[in-house]
Amino acid sequence: METVKVVENGVQAKREIEQLMTQGYTKDEIYLLAHDKNRSENLADGLDLNDVGVAEQGLFDSMANVFRSRGDELRTKLESLGLSQSEAERFEEEMDHGRVVVVATKSA
């Protein structure tokens, strides 16, 4: 089960993350993505969240991301969190417009 929120900035992201935590998600189950890699890393670090990495994507996709465009990398990361291909495309387009995507996922 995934919950996805699209926000404009870090303040809104923090608010959504706090709300997700009151719904029973832990910080280990919440991920934050932005089209600009530095922005994504800075927000995730500042909000003490995980990056989508090898554990979520698997070794092959994680290594393949080195050679992918940022858009392809983001779509792969979203799909590794359980979103469909069409959902991943839609949310990646939101990130193209400067928005931030917060994904909370329960592992079964």
Side-chain angles (χ1 to χ4, degrees), residues 31-90:
Y31 302 86
L32 183 143
L33 298 157
H35 210 285
D36 180 280
K37 193 169 193 154
N38 288 333
R39 181 179 186 204
S40 185
E41 290 171 357
N42 290 340
L43 284 170
D45 287 346
L47 296 170
D48 193 28
L49 295 176
N50 292 321
D51 187 23
V52 180
V54 175
E56 294 78 19
Q57 296 182 85
L59 183 60
F60 176 76
D61 278 335
S62 191
M63 289 177 58
N65 278 341
V66 172
F67 303 102
R68 291 182 174 133
S69 72
R70 181 66 176 158
D72 289 343
E73 178 184 351
L74 290 168
R75 286 188 296 278
T76 299
K77 286 182 175 189
L78 289 166
E79 288 176 34
S80 73
L81 293 173
L83 278 68
S84 70
Q85 182 178 355
S86 63
E87 290 172 322
E89 289 172 2
R90 188 182 72 194

Side-chain angles (χ1 to χ4, degrees), residues 3-7 12-14 16-17 20 30-33 49 100-104:
T3 301
V4 183
K5 304 288 184 175
V6 178
V7 298
Q12 290 176 358
K14 184 176 193 273
E16 290 296 339
I17 291 162
L20 289 166
I30 302 172
Y31 302 86
L32 183 143
L33 298 157
L49 295 176
V100 176
V101 174
V102 178
V103 180

